[in-house]
Amino acid sequence: MATNKRTEVEIAPLEFTPIDQIPRKVATLRESFSQRKTRPIEFRKVVLRKLYWAVEDNKERIAEALSRDLGKHAYEAFMAEIYWMTGDILHIVNNMDKWLKDEAASDIPFMWKSVNPKIRKDPMGTVLIIGPSNYPFQLTMLPLFGAIAAGNTVAIKPSEITPNSSRIIQEIIESTLDPSCYAVVQGGAEETQALLAEKWDKIFFTGSAAVGRIVAKAAAVHLTPVVLELGGLNPAIVTRNANPRLVARRLLWAKSMNAGQTCTAHNYILIEKSILPAVLEEFKKAYKDFYPNGSRDSPDYGRIVTDKAFQRLKGMLDNSQGKIIFGGTLNEKERYIEQTLVQVDSLEDSMIVNEAFGPICAVYPVNDVDEAIQIANKVHDTPLGISVFGSSSDHEKVLEGTRSGNVSLNDAQPHVNTLAFGGVGESGMGQYRGRASVDVFLHHRPYTKTPSWAESLLDLRYPPYTPTKFKWLRLGLGVGTPDFDRDGRKSPWTWLRLLFGGSPKLAASKAMAVAIVLFLVQKYLQRLAKQ
Ligand code: NAD
């Protein structure tokens, strides 16, 4: 098994890309796209296969970079970064023929089938991917794999605050791929804004809502479509019907992995008062199980990514009026923050109104699931994720009463790596992962092919616009018959009207007449059979 033993791995320091080189890099990518270099599907597959081996061959270096940047244990590096990348590449390579094939358009009225409507899967063009710091590899590379499979030329801008990881990403890409098709730009806000000043065919951004707004504004100048994978104030709702042990273990895990620096981890827990003592007891037991000597002395527990992020989390704790009911130990030098629960009695508390993005969490007791739903909607009505622990009817109530990018029922944070994932409202727009990673970088381009024999059908659209043509127009355009009345109610006579036309009464009379004729014919046939 992987360990967290520091190896002799050497990682070169991160160098920012000179800003004056950025326009040239982008122009090269555009030129390669217009030369159709990335169009052949076999080309894309070879690129992905090479990337697979580059990730595989660099796995120890990746784990080491993550250990240096985030104090991540190698186990977590494999669980949530390396195997996500290799698994994703294999999933894409094995399915891309199927996903990229032209598709027959669905739900087309019969009349239009003659023009053979299909959907073609075109690349968007030259796209930009901007990565975050918390899972610096997978959150930058997974979109890249999708963009490659979709046939785009791509620039990626990894996070500058995880310099070792970003350096390895650059090495992997530059040592493996054609630089005229795939480029890495390193840097912070300034370099990113220089990139954003360029025209892109799609921008895929993962990070904070504040920077997401900067990205969306810059994209609007060029009418560039954007995917924004942002954060949010995610609630975990725990009802009296939940299993306290499972609640404790699963919620503690979500706040422990990557020291809680996970966009889908819960920001606050809304818990029914009656179950709080039992969950807290189980939380203590779970902590002891996971970290027998405490998380600070455990190699399994990571650190906060920067001093700035540490101070922000400390500020949230310092400014809270709540009571620490679990944890609370911090070590500034190590950027260590223990998993901490703070019971608060105000929705204005610093622990509720800020995105923690770390191992600290507010606990707010409620009377029932309805109150929890009401509060969750008040705090943030479109978070990235919601966790619900309780009965099936509690789950249904929360699903029905809230909005969010994703939902975990009886678990913390969604983690099926091929399930489409993304925010809604303030937590973002657009989805990726699995097939969605490829789709998000494709233009689904409809096309039709009109046969010459269809000319007589098409006559309906040509002048002169005669009364006879007008009579056939509705049918010719494939407009159906409504199965509802003017009050929006479904009509029980609709099928009769569809079959026989006319008013419901007339249709019913015609149906009756047909039924009588059928009955008589049947009787006649029976009599013949007997003779
Ligand atoms: P961040 O927004 O600070 O940085 C993300 C990227 O934006 C980096 O590449 C950075 O260089 C660039 N950037 C920073 N400031 C900029 C500026 N002023 N102008 C232009 N570019 C700028 O985010 P982070 O700290 O790396 O990640 C934390 C945030 O990301 C949290 O809010 C978290 O919830 C969110 N997040 C969301 C997801 C998701 O999938 N929805 C995943 C991870 C993180």
Side-chain angles (χ1 to χ4, degrees), residues 79-273:
M79 177 168 64
E81 302 253 25
I82 295 163
Y83 288 151
W84 274 65
M85 288 191 281
T86 49
D88 207 56
I89 296 179
L90 294 177
H91 184 59
I92 290 176
V93 169
N94 289 336
N95 287 290
M96 58 192 275
D97 281 332
K98 182 175 74 189
W99 297 340
L100 294 171
K101 248 191 356 213
D102 288 6
E103 270 173 26
S106 54
D107 307 317
I108 298 294
F110 177 73
M111 300 307 294
W112 287 114
K113 299 235 186 245
S114 59
V115 299
N116 211 10
K118 287 197 173 153
I119 309 293
R120 192 180 159 82
K121 315 293 176 59
D122 272 3
M124 301 294 292
T126 299
V127 303
L128 170 65
I129 294 167
I130 303 171
S133 57
N134 55 334
Y135 293 85
F137 284 93
Q138 64 130 313
L139 295 180
T140 312
M141 299 293 265
L142 262 50
L144 171 69
F145 303 152
I148 291 171
N152 301 280
T153 55
V154 194
I156 66 167
K157 210 299 292 173
S159 172
E160 77 284 14
I161 62 175
T162 45
N164 296 292
S165 303
S166 297
R167 179 69 213 187
I168 300 285
I169 289 175
Q170 183 175 357
E171 284 175 16
I172 285 176
I173 290 172
E174 290 182 351
S175 65
T176 316
L177 308 184
D178 177 349
S180 73
C181 299
Y182 310 105
V184 180
V185 171
Q186 299 285 12
E190 220 183 320
E191 289 73 14
T192 312
Q193 285 178 15
L195 279 165
L196 290 170
E198 298 289 323
K199 181 172 164 51
W200 300 94
D201 295 303
K202 188 141 205 175
I203 301 175
F204 190 108
F205 170 80
T206 306
S208 60
V211 181
R213 284 189 166 79
I214 295 174
V215 171
K217 273 189 195 159
V221 173
H222 299 290
L223 291 180
T224 299
V226 287
V227 174
L228 299 177
E229 299 288 343
L230 312 177
L233 306 178
N234 306 323
I237 295 176
V238 183
T239 79
R240 75 184 83 129
N241 302 312
N243 176 330
R245 180 170 180 272
L246 296 187
V247 173
R249 290 172 71 83
R250 294 174 186 185
L251 289 182
L252 176 62
W253 165 73
K255 278 291 190 184
S256 301
M257 189 162 88
N258 203 26
Q261 298 162 102
T262 304
C263 52
T264 45
H266 49 287
N267 209 56
Y268 61 107
I269 303 171
L270 299 168
I271 183 165
E272 280 194 48
K273 285 171 186 157

Side-chain angles (χ1 to χ4, degrees), residues 178-425:
D178 177 349
S180 73
C181 299
Y182 310 105
V184 180
V185 171
Q186 299 285 12
E190 220 183 320
E191 289 73 14
T192 312
Q193 285 178 15
L195 279 165
L196 290 170
E198 298 289 323
K199 181 172 164 51
W200 300 94
D201 295 303
K202 188 141 205 175
I203 301 175
F204 190 108
F205 170 80
T206 306
S208 60
V211 181
R213 284 189 166 79
I214 295 174
V215 171
K217 273 189 195 159
V221 173
H222 299 290
L223 291 180
T224 299
V226 287
V227 174
L228 299 177
E229 299 288 343
L230 312 177
L233 306 178
N234 306 323
I237 295 176
V238 183
T239 79
R240 75 184 83 129
N241 302 312
N243 176 330
R245 180 170 180 272
L246 296 187
V247 173
R249 290 172 71 83
R250 294 174 186 185
L251 289 182
L252 176 62
W253 165 73
K255 278 291 190 184
S256 301
M257 189 162 88
N258 203 26
Q261 298 162 102
T262 304
C263 52
T264 45
H266 49 287
N267 209 56
Y268 61 107
I269 303 171
L270 299 168
I271 183 165
E272 280 194 48
K273 285 171 186 157
S274 58
I275 202 174
L276 175 56
V279 168
L280 192 55
E281 265 326 290
E282 290 295 343
F283 207 85
K284 290 172 188 163
K285 282 189 208 160
Y287 182 79
K288 200 90 191 121
D289 281 354
F290 292 180
Y291 308 102
N293 299 315
S295 59
R296 185 173 171 193
D297 290 332
S298 167
D300 300 347
Y301 188 64
R303 294 296 183 262
I304 304 305
V305 66
T306 58
D307 291 335
K308 192 173 155 200
F310 178 91
Q311 291 304 335
R312 193 181 55 76
L313 288 161
K314 184 171 179 299
M316 278 175 70
L317 288 170
D318 291 346
N319 294 329
S320 174
Q321 301 299 308
K323 182 175 132 215
I324 292 179
I325 55 172
F326 185 86
T329 311
L330 282 75
N331 184 299
E332 192 168 337
K333 201 160 151 261
E334 291 176 19
R335 295 202 300 271
Y336 164 79
I337 298 182
E338 190 176 16
Q339 297 90 330
T340 300
L341 295 176
V342 183
Q343 187 170 335
V344 301
D345 56 15
S346 162
L347 295 178
E348 305 306 318
D349 196 277
S350 59
M351 289 294 297
I352 296 261
V353 295
N354 298 298
E355 183 189 7
F357 204 58
I360 62 177
C361 181
V363 177
Y364 188 92
V366 293
N367 292 311
D368 53 29
V369 66
D370 297 306
E371 188 188 353
I373 291 170
Q374 197 196 344
I375 292 173
N377 284 328
K378 198 167 159 193
V379 171
H380 185 179
D381 62 354
T382 52
L384 185 59
I386 296 184
S387 301
V388 196
F389 293 85
S391 64
S392 298
S393 88
D394 297 329
H395 296 157
E396 200 44 50
K397 269 191 175 178
V398 177
L399 284 168
E400 188 65 23
T402 59
R403 290 184 291 164
S404 67
N406 311 273
V407 180
S408 264
L409 302 177
N410 289 341
D411 206 349
Q413 60 194 16
H415 39 76
V416 178
N417 54 355
T418 51
L419 190 62
F421 169 87
V424 63

